[in-house]
Amino acid sequence: MLVVMRVGATPKEIRSTVAAIRKLGLTPNVIPGSLRVAIGITGNKGAIGREQLELLPGVAELVPVTKPYKLVSRETKPEDTVVAVGAGGPSTSLGALSERSESKGVRFGGERFTVIAGPCAVESRKSALAVARAVKAAGALAFRGGAYKPRTSPYSFQGLGKKGLEILREVREETGLPVVTEAVDPQSLEQVARHADMIQIGARNMQNYSLLRLAGQSRRPVLLKRGFSATFEEFLMAAEYVLAEGNYQVVLCERGVRSFADYTRATLDISLVPAVRKISHLPVIADPSHAAGRRDMVPALSRSALAAGAHGLLVEVHEDPDRALSDGGQSLAPAAFAELMDSLRRIAAALEVTC
Amino acid sequence: MLVVMRVGATPKEIRSTVAAIRKLGLTPNVIPGSLRVAIGITGNKGAIGREQLELLPGVAELVPVTKPYKLVSRETKPEDTVVAVGAGGPSTSLGALSERSESKGVRFGGERFTVIAGPCAVESRKSALAVARAVKAAGALAFRGGAYKPRTSPYSFQGLGKKGLEILREVREETGLPVVTEAVDPQSLEQVARHADMIQIGARNMQNYSLLRLAGQSRRPVLLKRGFSATFEEFLMAAEYVLAEGNYQVVLCERGVRSFADYTRATLDISLVPAVRKISHLPVIADPSHAAGRRDMVPALSRSALAAGAHGLLVEVHEDPDRALSDGGQSLAPAAFAELMDSLRRIAAALEVTC
Amino acid sequence: MLVVMRVGATPKEIRSTVAAIRKLGLTPNVIPGSLRVAIGITGNKGAIGREQLELLPGVAELVPVTKPYKLVSRETKPEDTVVAVGAGGPSTSLGALSERSESKGVRFGGERFTVIAGPCAVESRKSALAVARAVKAAGALAFRGGAYKPRTSPYSFQGLGKKGLEILREVREETGLPVVTEAVDPQSLEQVARHADMIQIGARNMQNYSLLRLAGQSRRPVLLKRGFSATFEEFLMAAEYVLAEGNYQVVLCERGVRSFADYTRATLDISLVPAVRKISHLPVIADPSHAAGRRDMVPALSRSALAAGAHGLLVEVHEDPDRALSDGGQSLAPAAFAELMDSLRRIAAALEVTC
Amino acid sequence: MLVVMRVGATPKEIRSTVAAIRKLGLTPNVIPGSLRVAIGITGNKGAIGREQLELLPGVAELVPVTKPYKLVSRETKPEDTVVAVGAGGPSTSLGALSERSESKGVRFGGERFTVIAGPCAVESRKSALAVARAVKAAGALAFRGGAYKPRTSPYSFQGLGKKGLEILREVREETGLPVVTEAVDPQSLEQVARHADMIQIGARNMQNYSLLRLAGQSRRPVLLKRGFSATFEEFLMAAEYVLAEGNYQVVLCERGVRSFADYTRATLDISLVPAVRKISHLPVIADPSHAAGRRDMVPALSRSALAAGAHGLLVEVHEDPDRALSDGGQSLAPAAFAELMDSLRRIAAALEVTC
């Protein structure tokens, strides 16, 4: 159930409605919009008595939400959410929801196409900085690089950890690019929330609900990658865990799903992009590097994601892909990345999207 | 094994080489290129003695073909194949292979994007003509419409059969659009080859090898749709069946694969497009209508296919989608199709592709 | 819609009901049961007027059939169908439906477990006979062997054709085992129907509806293999095509589906077995050889199919698996097959199933 | 690399070899067998110099391990691992590996079939005890019940938490059945390790490597469920994370994978069972309840798992399935469970397996 407040409802009216919902034993979730405020109600087992709410001062209407996902749904919030990353200190949940209210930081959502680029793993200060400068020059707006790497084998390189986070901070200071990096457990999440601009939750942890809750409590923007075989509903429900903690700054990321197809490492499910744009107000980007698992397909998949309506990309770029400590085969060299960005700008212009 | 003839090899030298291959108990497949002729050798169980062939007059070099697909491979023919449809009478196998030699008909392949549009099934002369005029006006270059419909249920509408083919012929005469329609068995294939400009082999028949052989013998261009769960190799091998009969005019079509994802009817495997362009010289198009199974996603998937490098589309358009006898839910209305074509032209221009 | 006749309805009453259904523009399908006759009605677009039928003499009740599959459904025929193979000449459709009426031939269905075994392809008279004697001695009740082989590559061994069918006939004459072999197109189907006891329709042709119709017209028992990615409903609908032509003798065969799993060639979908037993009256067997694609897993999968309730197996056995012309890697040697049969008999006894 | 010690190698020789491995900068993993001790070497980037190790006193031979999974592989430990659950206090890693050394507790592995049964979630003391008594009477050897439930929706019942663990302890005290329950994060894992006999890691957390490491450090037996789309190698590598911490007591559990099939909630991949038995020494069981998602299929899938070689089952049983707080549709009532156990005992006898 969604309580839509009148345009111009006063803070007091909103507080009274919130209190009334609490009194019914339910959980109110205040969702500010550019025109008016809505309050999502969660925690109900069955039907909610309408009469106690619809006559309260300032309440415009009650809207039943028919899907299991509530806060992520366009039924709850019709307008696109714009997530601002690197806006200088943790954003409040209010700020993330309205395009008007964000004047700083790199933005995801609406009619823009925002590219995050960088190496799979942070390997050294020197190489991270070199890649960061190269991708910034080519047009990337944010930097990625793993400090904590979830690896299939316990014997593989697991990332530099805190040392990696420090390098990321230096990258931000030197280049101005906000940095995105993955958290894999409570300890790393705390570190990432402190040092990075955006917390990445990887595909393997998409249903690690404890981690999602911590990400929701962190107040940092979250980049949530789809699980290897997550359905659309499961993916949105994972985001719902973050929003349910009051953090509305979630960017969804399609990174390919498991299928029988064997010429790419995963099968980029391009249809997810228009599906998310229709059903949810959250931004959605694509990771062509992990989907393809081979760099020769990254440009074609990147262009297809833009044309399908994605709000951005997460692309792996490495100074010297053949010597990367992890996933080098799918990383673009800086020159190939610059060429890709050129073609993306041309397509974005044709689509009237800011790139 | 591929025998590459010298530039300027004489017809006599080519004939002698063909004869020498036959003498070894093998099958020569002459593959003309714009610069020189190659001869693919099939039918060998094991290694072929090189010495009997490489010293023949006119032979430039012998190239081993390492994949199970031979004639469809870029190893065999590096340059793009351009398939001409509706060029006025059955094409010879030679004509289809070289861009220069085709001055007539609608072309698939190379740096152009060719859209086929029309209803799922031909329902009446009146409605077929109305749709054909509308899609032509919007920029479609060929018309589709099923006369023989493979339906999951024996009790569903199975198409108008010969009557449908006659309507298609009228559509071509009145609009000038070449017509594409599906063949489902030897009888319908014979009829389709006689009356239509391009024979469609549907996903359910992708491994109906007898039908593929008959399509290969027909000398009509073939539109081959990928099976619901065909691997890349199986798809190329199905095309190989057509080429092995001497018909090189095959256009491949990605139409979505089976997966666990449930918000589209099939999962459009967009990665197939760059994979085909890399490994094969054949053109590849996409069918966003059957992939999505719902019209609201058709525009996004169409644009993504173009941006991924597809050579065209097969799109369902129906005058009144909600009253269609089959698959109405996935058909665009004419106005929506015209709007889609506009956006495709803008993207094509950005990609320097002719649309 | 299903018209259930009273127990003891006279032939005249049945004929009158059939005529009344025809008069309504619908298609009656007479389905004899051991106790009473039912008449399935197909061909209706919308609802059928009940009043014209339910008052006819001999009609007990009208049962709406809610699924798209009608004749294959237990709603239509609650008791198990028993299919008799090699009963001496083509069976009538009536005979196949009632356990009591079949005294000859090898039976599939009910509480028995019937094993078909033999090589992937018939390679020579000598080897076919040797395998047939071995599998008979071990307890197989029918012989399999391909004469027409659908192969992924046009350059692979395609089977001995008519020569293979002659060898199969000799095998039957010498061993008494009925023979099962695949038909791939109208020509081979005609030959197979004439010379073999059961027509196999392979996975690649499961939705080759023209071939299914011909199999339905042939009056031979049909072994229908599930397509690589056929849903449960599509599989039953493929069988419905055969039954809709009046041939009720269909045995379904699970042979593994496409998935991401890579340690077997296909993923044996063991759940299909109880699903079929619940929803359909048709017998269902499993093909562990094609599912596994490797012989070391065939015994475990065979035992699991029996325990899951399958009515039998289709197992590949080759005299000398490592020298087989096709699929040798998945064929059991005769000694391994005999050992497998021993274990199956023990499990069957525990399940009170005749093996 | 695996260092195999001689039969009768002294503790001192083993210690010296361990020290020599450490000196090379590598990690030794001591793996006791019933006849002799082996030492797995992990942590190497490239090849290991053989000469420094093979001449040490007590070393019999050096065996290269060719797979990415090392400690879980039969190459490393050829004999079946038997995991004892509820043996009275945390087992040492040594004890778990040898059948001889375990005289107490419920055992998984070797030629026995061990059934764990109980409700999806612990709902109350009364209902948990009632189910526990019923499943014990029917032949179950261990009790399952979730205290911490990973739920797709943040608004669903998430389990009773510590209160649930207390109920489980009471169940153990009253019935003598060891209890198995899921841990979902560091906090719950610590609690589960303290109060339960076996730690379950669920499908959603199969690649939550931090959690796997903690489970490996806990010294409690671990029940590791396969992820929804985990490949065979990924599944074994997840177990490897636990073993790499020194905890060798891991039971693998197949619980169905994602596929296009829609008549069960997941597709039970029965082939995993013989695959694990061939490649790994760890026990493998099946969860037919979560695979099917519907109780009518649970008996058939349970029997198929036993016949395929599984070492046991994890089955959901609920006093009153239709009133369960979670997953009631897939839970068996006690009477149906008792009937299932009867049939399993008959099949087990036929297979000469202790049930």
Side-chain angles (χ1 to χ4, degrees):
Chain A
M1 179 73 80
L2 191 72
V3 180
V4 180
M5 303 302 290
R6 279 186 231 274
V7 177
T10 64
K12 194 183 154 194
E13 285 171 342
I14 295 170
R15 283 196 303 273
S16 305
T17 308
V18 161
I21 293 167
R22 285 231 175 81
K23 224 168 140 188
L24 293 168
L26 305 170
T27 308
N29 301 272
V30 179
I31 308 161
S34 55
L35 288 175
R36 56 190 189 182
V37 164
I39 306 171
I41 299 182
T42 55
N44 53 309
K45 308 278 183 211
I48 298 168
R50 302 177 65 92
E51 58 286 349
Q52 290 123 311
L53 296 173
E54 58 190 1
L55 297 177
L56 289 176
V59 169
E61 58 173 335
L62 301 188
V63 181
V65 179
T66 56
K67 303 289 188 183
Y69 30 89
K70 302 201 182 305
L71 305 179
V72 304
S73 170
R74 274 207 196 273
E75 286 190 86
T76 303
K77 174 166 180 287
E79 66 202 284
D80 280 6
T81 283
V82 174
V83 174
V85 175
S91 309
T92 64
S93 64
L94 273 167
L97 283 167
S98 162
E99 173 114 13
R100 297 174 315 161
S101 60
E102 278 299 340
S103 53
K104 290 187 293 182
V106 170
R107 291 183 285 174
F108 290 85
E111 296 308 311
R112 63 176 67 70
F113 189 75
T114 307
V115 177
I116 308 169
C120 182
V122 174
E123 296 174 6
S124 75
R125 190 183 170 283
K126 186 160 161 282
S127 69
L129 265 171
V131 173
R133 287 187 189 116
V135 300
K136 186 183 181 185
L141 295 180
F143 185 72
R144 64 149 289 156
Y148 302 92
K149 299 300 303 171
R151 299 301 297 273
T152 304
S153 167
Y155 312 127
S156 298
F157 171 61
Q158 311 269 326
L160 297 179
K162 283 194 194 178
K163 170 81 185 143
L165 290 179
E166 281 162 32
I167 292 173
L168 287 172
R169 224 172 36 186
E170 287 185 71
V171 164
R172 180 180 43 198
E173 279 159 23
E174 295 229 11
T175 63
L177 295 176
V179 296
V180 183
T181 196
E182 182 166 355
V184 297
D185 54 20
Q187 287 74 38
S188 57
L189 190 131
E190 198 205 323
Q191 294 296 319
V192 167
R194 180 172 309 158
H195 296 292
D197 300 286
M198 188 177 210
I199 302 166
Q200 180 178 318
I201 303 292
R204 291 172 177 84
N205 282 311
M206 192 205 82
Q207 292 189 311
N208 182 343
Y209 300 126
S210 304
L211 196 65
L212 294 174
R213 281 215 182 84
L214 291 174
Q217 291 155 12
S218 78
R219 309 292 141 167
R220 279 282 177 202
V222 173
L223 177 61
L224 178 62
K225 298 186 84 172
R226 182 184 187 183
F228 296 148
S229 62
T231 63
F232 183 58
E233 186 172 310
E234 289 170 344
F235 191 19
L236 291 187
M237 291 308 289
E240 187 84 12
Y241 265 90
V242 181
L243 271 69
E245 298 291 328
N247 184 351
Y248 294 82
Q249 309 171 87
V250 175
V251 174
L252 302 170
C253 181
E254 159 66 25
R255 47 80 67 221
V257 294
R258 281 275 152 85
S259 82
F260 63 86
D262 51 5
Y263 47 91
T264 42
R265 192 163 56 189
T267 296
L268 185 72
D269 183 6
I270 197 72
S271 313
L272 184 92
V273 172
V276 168
R277 290 197 68 150
K278 176 167 190 167
I279 301 296
S280 174
H281 52 86
L282 295 174
V284 56
I285 69 171
D287 176 347
S289 307
H290 282 87
R294 41 187 288 180
R295 79 179 71 115
D296 61 348
M297 292 214 186
V298 168
L301 298 187
S302 297
R303 287 189 280 263
S304 79
L306 166 54
H311 292 101
L313 293 179
L314 184 68
V315 186
E316 284 191 12
V317 179
H318 193 278
E319 252 196 315
D320 185 357
D322 296 330
R323 295 202 183 171
L325 291 184
S326 70
D327 281 342
Q330 73 197 29
S331 296
L332 294 178
F337 175 70
E339 205 177 304
L340 169 60
M341 287 301 295
D342 280 345
S343 71
L344 292 171
R345 270 187 291 266
R346 286 197 303 272
I347 298 172
L351 295 166
E352 294 174 27
V353 161
T354 308
C355 177
Chain B
M1 178 72 81
L2 190 73
V3 180
V4 180
M5 303 300 292
R6 279 186 230 274
V7 177
T10 64
K12 195 183 154 192
E13 284 170 343
I14 295 171
R15 283 197 303 273
S16 303
T17 308
V18 163
I21 293 167
R22 287 228 174 83
K23 223 167 141 187
L24 292 168
L26 305 170
T27 307
N29 301 271
V30 179
I31 307 162
S34 56
L35 288 175
R36 56 191 187 180
V37 164
I39 306 172
I41 300 182
T42 55
N44 53 307
K45 308 278 183 211
I48 299 168
R50 300 178 66 93
E51 59 287 349
Q52 289 123 311
L53 295 172
E54 60 190 0
L55 298 176
L56 288 176
V59 169
E61 57 172 336
L62 301 189
V63 181
V65 179
T66 56
K67 303 288 187 183
Y69 30 90
K70 299 195 184 313
L71 304 178
V72 305
S73 170
R74 274 206 197 272
E75 287 189 84
T76 303
K77 176 169 178 285
E79 67 202 283
D80 279 7
T81 283
V82 174
V83 173
V85 175
S91 307
T92 63
S93 65
L94 272 168
L97 285 167
S98 162
E99 172 112 14
R100 297 174 314 158
S101 60
E102 279 298 342
S103 51
K104 290 188 293 183
V106 170
R107 290 182 287 174
F108 291 85
E111 295 309 310
R112 61 176 67 70
F113 189 74
T114 307
V115 177
I116 309 170
C120 182
V122 174
E123 296 173 7
S124 75
R125 189 182 170 283
K126 187 159 160 281
S127 70
L129 265 170
V131 173
R133 286 188 190 115
V135 300
K136 186 182 180 184
L141 295 180
F143 184 73
R144 63 150 291 155
Y148 302 92
K149 300 299 303 172
R151 299 301 297 273
T152 304
S153 166
Y155 313 126
S156 298
F157 172 62
Q158 311 270 324
L160 297 178
K162 282 195 193 178
K163 170 79 184 143
L165 291 181
E166 281 163 31
I167 292 173
L168 287 173
R169 224 172 37 185
E170 287 185 72
V171 165
R172 179 179 44 199
E173 279 161 22
E174 294 229 13
T175 63
L177 295 176
V179 296
V180 183
T181 197
E182 183 167 354
V184 297
D185 55 19
Q187 287 74 38
S188 58
L189 190 131
E190 198 205 323
Q191 294 296 319
V192 168
R194 183 173 306 159
H195 296 291
D197 299 288
M198 189 177 209
I199 302 166
Q200 181 179 317
I201 302 292
R204 292 172 176 84
N205 281 311
M206 192 205 82
Q207 292 190 311
N208 181 342
Y209 299 127
S210 303
L211 196 65
L212 293 174
R213 282 216 182 83
L214 290 173
Q217 289 154 15
S218 78
R219 308 292 141 170
R220 281 280 177 204
V222 173
L223 178 61
L224 178 63
K225 298 185 85 172
R226 184 184 185 183
F228 295 149
S229 62
T231 62
F232 183 59
E233 186 172 312
E234 288 170 346
F235 191 19
L236 291 187
M237 291 308 287
E240 186 85 13
Y241 265 90
V242 180
L243 271 68
E245 298 291 329
N247 184 352
Y248 293 83
Q249 308 171 88
V250 175
V251 175
L252 302 170
C253 181
E254 161 64 26
R255 47 80 67 219
V257 295
R258 281 274 152 84
S259 82
F260 62 86
D262 51 4
Y263 45 92
T264 43
R265 193 162 56 189
T267 297
L268 186 72
D269 182 7
I270 197 71
S271 313
L272 184 92
V273 172
V276 167
R277 290 198 69 150
K278 176 167 190 168
I279 302 296
S280 174
H281 52 86
L282 295 174
V284 55
I285 70 172
D287 175 347
S289 307
H290 282 86
R294 42 187 289 179
R295 79 179 73 112
D296 62 348
M297 292 215 186
V298 168
L301 298 187
S302 297
R303 288 189 279 264
S304 81
L306 165 54
H311 292 101
L313 294 178
L314 184 68
V315 187
E316 284 192 10
V317 178
H318 193 278
E319 252 196 314
D320 186 357
D322 295 330
R323 296 199 182 174
L325 291 185
S326 69
D327 280 343
Q330 73 196 30
S331 295
L332 294 179
F337 176 71
E339 205 177 305
L340 169 59
M341 288 300 297
D342 279 346
S343 71
L344 292 172
R345 269 187 292 266
R346 287 197 302 273
I347 299 171
L351 295 165
E352 294 175 27
V353 161
T354 309
C355 177
Chain C
M1 178 72 80
L2 191 73
V3 180
V4 180
M5 304 301 292
R6 280 185 229 276
V7 177
T10 64
K12 195 184 153 192
E13 285 171 342
I14 294 170
R15 281 197 304 272
S16 304
T17 309
V18 162
I21 292 166
R22 286 231 173 80
K23 225 169 139 185
L24 292 168
L26 305 170
T27 308
N29 301 272
V30 179
I31 307 161
S34 57
L35 288 176
R36 56 190 186 178
V37 164
I39 306 172
I41 300 182
T42 54
N44 53 309
K45 307 278 181 210
I48 298 169
R50 301 177 65 94
E51 60 286 348
Q52 289 123 311
L53 295 173
E54 60 190 359
L55 298 177
L56 288 177
V59 169
E61 59 173 335
L62 301 189
V63 181
V65 178
T66 56
K67 301 288 188 184
Y69 32 88
K70 301 199 182 308
L71 305 178
V72 304
S73 171
R74 274 207 195 272
E75 287 190 86
T76 303
K77 175 167 181 284
E79 68 202 284
D80 279 6
T81 283
V82 174
V83 173
V85 175
S91 307
T92 64
S93 65
L94 273 167
L97 284 167
S98 161
E99 173 111 15
R100 297 174 316 158
S101 61
E102 279 298 342
S103 53
K104 290 186 294 184
V106 170
R107 289 183 288 176
F108 291 85
E111 296 307 311
R112 63 176 68 70
F113 189 75
T114 308
V115 177
I116 309 169
C120 181
V122 174
E123 295 173 6
S124 74
R125 188 181 173 284
K126 186 159 161 283
S127 70
L129 265 169
V131 174
R133 286 188 189 113
V135 300
K136 186 183 182 183
L141 295 180
F143 184 73
R144 65 150 288 156
Y148 302 92
K149 300 298 302 171
R151 299 302 296 274
T152 303
S153 167
Y155 314 125
S156 297
F157 172 61
Q158 310 269 325
L160 296 179
K162 283 195 194 179
K163 172 80 187 145
L165 290 180
E166 281 163 31
I167 292 173
L168 287 173
R169 223 170 40 185
E170 286 185 73
V171 165
R172 179 178 46 199
E173 279 160 22
E174 293 230 13
T175 63
L177 294 177
V179 296
V180 184
T181 197
E182 182 166 355
V184 295
D185 54 20
Q187 288 74 39
S188 58
L189 190 133
E190 199 206 323
Q191 295 295 319
V192 168
R194 182 174 304 159
H195 296 292
D197 298 288
M198 187 176 210
I199 302 166
Q200 180 179 318
I201 303 291
R204 290 172 178 82
N205 282 310
M206 192 205 83
Q207 292 191 311
N208 181 342
Y209 300 127
S210 303
L211 196 65
L212 293 173
R213 283 216 181 84
L214 291 173
Q217 290 154 13
S218 79
R219 309 293 141 169
R220 281 282 176 201
V222 172
L223 178 61
L224 178 63
K225 298 185 84 171
R226 183 184 188 183
F228 295 148
S229 62
T231 63
F232 184 57
E233 186 173 309
E234 288 170 344
F235 192 17
L236 291 187
M237 290 309 288
E240 186 85 14
Y241 264 90
V242 180
L243 271 68
E245 298 290 329
N247 184 351
Y248 293 82
Q249 309 170 87
V250 174
V251 175
L252 301 170
C253 181
E254 161 65 26
R255 47 80 68 220
V257 294
R258 281 275 152 85
S259 83
F260 63 86
D262 52 5
Y263 45 91
T264 44
R265 194 163 54 189
T267 296
L268 186 72
D269 182 7
I270 198 72
S271 313
L272 184 93
V273 172
V276 168
R277 290 198 69 150
K278 174 165 191 170
I279 301 295
S280 174
H281 51 87
L282 295 175
V284 55
I285 69 172
D287 175 348
S289 307
H290 281 86
R294 39 186 290 180
R295 80 178 70 113
D296 61 348
M297 292 215 185
V298 168
L301 298 187
S302 298
R303 289 189 279 264
S304 79
L306 166 55
H311 292 102
L313 294 178
L314 183 69
V315 187
E316 285 192 10
V317 179
H318 193 279
E319 252 196 315
D320 185 357
D322 295 330
R323 296 203 182 172
L325 291 184
S326 70
D327 281 342
Q330 72 196 32
S331 296
L332 294 178
F337 177 71
E339 205 178 303
L340 168 60
M341 288 300 296
D342 279 345
S343 71
L344 291 172
R345 270 186 292 266
R346 289 197 303 273
I347 299 171
L351 295 166
E352 295 175 27
V353 161
T354 309
C355 175
Chain D
M1 177 73 82
L2 193 72
V3 179
V4 181
M5 303 302 291
R6 280 185 232 273
V7 178
T10 65
K12 194 184 156 195
E13 285 171 341
I14 296 170
R15 282 196 303 273
S16 304
T17 308
V18 163
I21 293 166
R22 286 229 175 82
K23 223 168 141 188
L24 292 168
L26 304 170
T27 308
N29 302 272
V30 178
I31 307 162
S34 57
L35 289 175
R36 57 189 186 180
V37 164
I39 306 170
I41 299 181
T42 55
N44 53 309
K45 308 279 180 207
I48 299 168
R50 301 177 66 92
E51 59 287 350
Q52 290 122 311
L53 296 172
E54 61 190 358
L55 297 177
L56 289 175
V59 169
E61 59 174 334
L62 301 189
V63 181
V65 178
T66 57
K67 303 288 189 185
Y69 30 90
K70 300 200 182 306
L71 305 178
V72 304
S73 169
R74 273 207 197 272
E75 286 189 86
T76 303
K77 174 166 180 285
E79 68 201 283
D80 279 6
T81 282
V82 174
V83 173
V85 175
S91 306
T92 64
S93 64
L94 272 167
L97 284 166
S98 161
E99 174 110 17
R100 297 173 315 160
S101 60
E102 279 298 342
S103 52
K104 290 187 294 183
V106 170
R107 289 182 288 175
F108 290 85
E111 296 307 311
R112 63 177 66 73
F113 189 76
T114 307
V115 177
I116 309 169
C120 182
V122 174
E123 296 173 6
S124 74
R125 189 182 171 281
K126 187 161 161 280
S127 69
L129 265 170
V131 173
R133 287 187 189 114
V135 301
K136 185 182 182 185
L141 296 180
F143 184 73
R144 62 149 290 155
Y148 302 92
K149 300 298 303 172
R151 300 300 297 273
T152 305
S153 167
Y155 313 124
S156 298
F157 173 61
Q158 312 269 326
L160 297 179
K162 282 194 193 178
K163 170 82 185 143
L165 290 180
E166 282 163 31
I167 293 174
L168 287 173
R169 224 171 37 185
E170 287 186 72
V171 165
R172 180 179 45 200
E173 278 159 23
E174 293 230 12
T175 63
L177 294 177
V179 296
V180 184
T181 197
E182 183 166 355
V184 297
D185 54 20
Q187 288 73 38
S188 58
L189 191 133
E190 198 206 323
Q191 294 296 319
V192 168
R194 181 173 307 160
H195 297 290
D197 300 287
M198 188 177 210
I199 303 166
Q200 181 178 317
I201 303 291
R204 291 171 177 84
N205 282 311
M206 192 205 83
Q207 292 190 312
N208 182 341
Y209 300 126
S210 303
L211 196 65
L212 294 173
R213 282 217 182 83
L214 291 173
Q217 290 154 14
S218 78
R219 308 293 141 169
R220 281 281 177 202
V222 173
L223 178 60
L224 178 62
K225 298 185 83 172
R226 183 185 187 184
F228 295 148
S229 61
T231 63
F232 183 58
E233 187 173 308
E234 288 170 345
F235 192 18
L236 292 187
M237 291 308 288
E240 186 85 14
Y241 265 90
V242 182
L243 272 68
E245 297 291 329
N247 184 350
Y248 294 82
Q249 310 171 86
V250 175
V251 175
L252 301 170
C253 180
E254 161 65 25
R255 47 81 67 222
V257 294
R258 281 275 153 84
S259 82
F260 63 87
D262 51 5
Y263 46 93
T264 43
R265 194 163 54 188
T267 296
L268 185 72
D269 183 7
I270 197 71
S271 314
L272 184 93
V273 172
V276 168
R277 291 198 68 150
K278 176 167 189 167
I279 301 296
S280 175
H281 52 86
L282 295 174
V284 55
I285 70 172
D287 175 346
S289 307
H290 281 87
R294 40 186 290 179
R295 80 179 71 112
D296 62 348
M297 293 214 184
V298 167
L301 297 188
S302 298
R303 289 190 278 265
S304 79
L306 166 54
H311 292 102
L313 294 178
L314 184 69
V315 186
E316 284 192 11
V317 179
H318 193 278
E319 251 196 315
D320 186 356
D322 295 329
R323 296 203 183 171
L325 291 185
S326 71
D327 281 343
Q330 73 197 32
S331 294
L332 293 178
F337 177 71
E339 205 177 303
L340 169 60
M341 288 300 296
D342 280 345
S343 70
L344 291 171
R345 271 186 290 266
R346 289 198 301 275
I347 298 171
L351 294 166
E352 295 175 25
V353 161
T354 308
C355 176

